[in-house]
Amino acid sequence: MGEKIGIIGSGGWGIALGLLLNELKYKVYLWEPLKENYKILIEKRENIDYFKGVKIPESIEITNSLTNIVGNANVLIIVVRSSFFKYTIKKLKKIYKNQPILIGTKGLDFKTGKRMSEILQEFIKTDNFAVISGPTIAKEIVKGYPTAVVVSSSNENIAEYFQKLISCERFRVYTNNDIIGVEIGGSFKNIIAIGAGIIDGLKLGINTKSSYLSRGVNEMIKIGTFLGGKEKTFRGLSGLGDLITTSFSKHSRNRSFGEGIIKIGKEKYLKKTKMVIEGIPTTKAFYKLSKKYKIELPITEAIYRIIYKDTDPKIEIKNLMIRELKKE
C-alpha cells in the first residue's frame, strides 16, 4: 500500500506511531499545533519531553499546518490529548476530505462525558473511522518491543483496512466492532492506574495491588456494560491488557502521577511534569457519569476525592476496606 498517513498530534503516541509507520515505508506527516513546540521539533528533530535522543527521520514531514496534513494524506490518525480533541475536530471539519480516520486518543470529554468517536461524529458525519487501543506504552513501541492492540469500527471494511495497514512483526492488530467497549476501556484504565501508583508510592505490596486491580476491572465492566460495551472487550487488549500495562509500567504517566501524589504531593508533581495526565479529567468525567446514572463505583469515587478534594489516600484505602461486605 502506498498510503500517505497524516498523524494529527506529535506527543509520545503520535511520534511512536509515526516512527513505526515510517519503518513500514509509508509517507508520514506529523502535525504539531503549537508553534513553539513545532520549532523545537523542526530544529532538533526530536521531542525532548517524551523521547530525548530519539531522532525523527527527515522522511517524516513535520508541519504546523492541519491543512497541509489533510491536503497531502489519504489516511488520518488522530492522537491529540482528549482535552484538545474537540478543538481539533472542529478545525478538521472545515477541510476534511473523507479520508479513513483512526482515533488513537484515549479519554472522555470531562464536560459532557462523550467518547472521542461521539465527538467526531458530532461534527463530521461519517462511519469511515475506527478507534485503536491496547497496551501501548510509547517508549516501548519506539524501542521495538512487540505488542498487540485492537482496532474497532462499525464498518468492518475500515477495521480490516487499518488492521492490514499497521500490522507487522512487532505490532499485531486484532479487530472487533465494539467501539464503545474499546473507548471506555482505554479511558477508564487511566483512573485505576492512578490508584495503582498510589499503592506503589505507599509500598503496600503485590497483594494489595492485585486485589485493587481486580476490583478496578469490576468497576470498568460495571460502567462499561451499562454504557453499551461488551464484557468480553473489557477482558481483552483495550481493557485488561491496557490496564495491566498502565498500572505497572514505570513509563506510565497515570501510574507515575499516583505515585507522585504520595512521594512529593499532587501540586508539586503537576508543576514538575510536562506530560499530559489523561486520568485526571477522565476521573472527573466518570465520577459525573456514576452520579448521573446512580452507578456505584467506590474506587473511582475514592480517586476523585484524592485528586479533586485532596483527601488522604490512606484514609480512602481504609474506607474502601471497611465498607459493607458483599458477594463477589
Side-chain angles (χ1 to χ4, degrees):
M1 287 185 261
E3 270 75 355
K4 298 176 181 179
I5 302 174
I7 298 179
I8 300 175
S10 66
W13 188 203
I15 290 175
L17 282 173
L19 293 173
L20 174 70
L21 293 165
N22 183 69
E23 287 178 22
L24 295 177
K25 306 304 181 185
Y26 299 119
K27 174 59 184 175
V28 176
Y29 301 87
L30 186 66
W31 181 61
E32 169 51 58
L34 302 178
K35 288 187 177 180
E36 184 178 332
N37 292 348
Y38 166 70
K39 288 178 182 178
I40 293 172
L41 285 175
I42 289 293
E43 291 171 7
K44 297 184 177 293
R45 301 298 299 186
E46 65 179 278
N47 186 314
I48 58 177
D49 294 328
Y50 291 97
F51 301 126
K52 193 170 184 178
V54 176
K55 294 297 181 182
I56 299 172
E58 293 290 339
S59 53
I60 295 179
E61 185 174 322
I62 303 170
T63 179
N64 184 236
S65 168
L66 190 59
T67 301
N68 183 33
I69 287 273
V70 176
N72 285 289
N74 56 6
V75 182
L76 300 176
I77 301 177
I78 306 175
V79 285
V80 297
R81 63 182 182 270
S82 60
S83 59
F84 194 62
F85 190 86
K86 182 181 287 187
Y87 169 83
T88 303
I89 296 304
K90 285 181 177 179
K91 290 193 65 164
L92 179 62
K93 177 184 178 180
K94 300 172 185 176
I95 52 177
Y96 177 58
K97 297 182 177 180
N98 203 39
Q99 298 100 322
I101 294 174
L102 184 63
I103 300 173
T105 299
K106 299 176 182 179
L108 298 184
D109 183 281
F110 74 92
K111 291 182 180 178
T112 65
K114 287 185 177 181
R115 295 173 284 108
M116 298 300 105
S117 66
E118 289 180 301
I119 295 171
L120 173 69
Q121 290 183 299
E122 182 181 342
F123 295 98
I124 300 175
K125 306 297 183 184
T126 181
D127 71 344
N128 201 26
F129 75 91
V131 299
I132 182 171
S133 195
T136 50
I137 293 292
K139 288 186 178 180
E140 294 189 6
I141 292 173
V142 168
K143 289 179 180 179
Y145 299 162
T147 192
V149 300
V150 60
V151 164
S152 183
S153 180
S154 59
N155 184 333
E156 186 176 357
N157 291 332
I158 289 295
E160 291 179 354
Y161 168 77
F162 280 115
Q163 181 183 42
K164 293 173 183 176
L165 184 76
I166 58 180
S167 287
C168 62
E169 62 183 17
R170 63 184 180 86
F171 200 82
R172 183 172 175 82
V173 180
Y174 292 83
T175 64
N176 71 27
N177 62 0
D178 184 15
I179 294 175
I180 296 174
V182 169
E183 288 190 293
I184 295 296
S187 56
F188 191 86
K189 54 88 184 178
N190 287 329
I191 303 172
I192 305 304
I194 292 172
I198 289 171
I199 291 169
D200 290 343
L202 291 170
K203 301 186 185 306
L204 293 177
I206 292 298
N207 286 345
T208 303
K209 194 169 182 178
S210 297
S211 302
Y212 166 79
L213 291 177
S214 297
R215 297 310 300 170
V217 171
N218 184 67
E219 289 197 11
M220 179 190 290
I221 292 170
K222 183 187 268 188
I223 185 70
T225 53
F226 176 85
L227 293 173
K230 299 174 183 176
E231 183 171 342
K232 179 182 178 182
T233 303
F234 300 116
R235 300 193 187 282
L237 289 164
S238 61
L240 182 60
D242 204 359
L243 175 63
I244 292 170
T245 289
T246 312
S247 297
F248 283 94
S249 173
K250 65 180 181 178
H251 301 304
S252 164
R253 290 169 281 176
N254 294 283
R255 190 210 64 81
S256 298
F257 169 60
E259 189 172 24
I261 290 174
I262 301 302
K263 290 188 172 180
I264 63 175
K266 180 184 72 175
E267 298 304 328
K268 282 186 179 179
Y269 185 89
L270 291 175
K271 286 180 181 178
K272 175 184 173 184
T273 188
K274 293 182 180 180
M275 304 292 189
V276 176
I277 313 299
E278 290 282 8
I280 295 175
T282 300
T283 297
K284 178 180 278 190
F286 276 103
Y287 175 81
K288 289 169 69 176
L289 285 172
S290 73
K291 295 303 178 185
K292 178 180 178 180
Y293 295 115
K294 296 181 172 55
I295 299 173
E296 185 184 15
L297 301 176
I299 291 174
T300 303
E301 292 177 14
I303 300 299
Y304 174 84
R305 288 190 294 268
I306 291 169
I307 295 173
Y308 290 100
K309 304 294 183 181
D310 294 316
T311 56
D312 186 336
K314 291 181 180 178
I315 293 175
E316 292 292 353
I317 291 170
K318 178 182 176 182
N319 288 339
L320 284 170
M321 294 298 291
I322 64 172
R323 62 200 172 90
E324 182 185 357
L325 297 175
K326 298 184 177 183
K327 293 181 180 180
E328 188 178 32

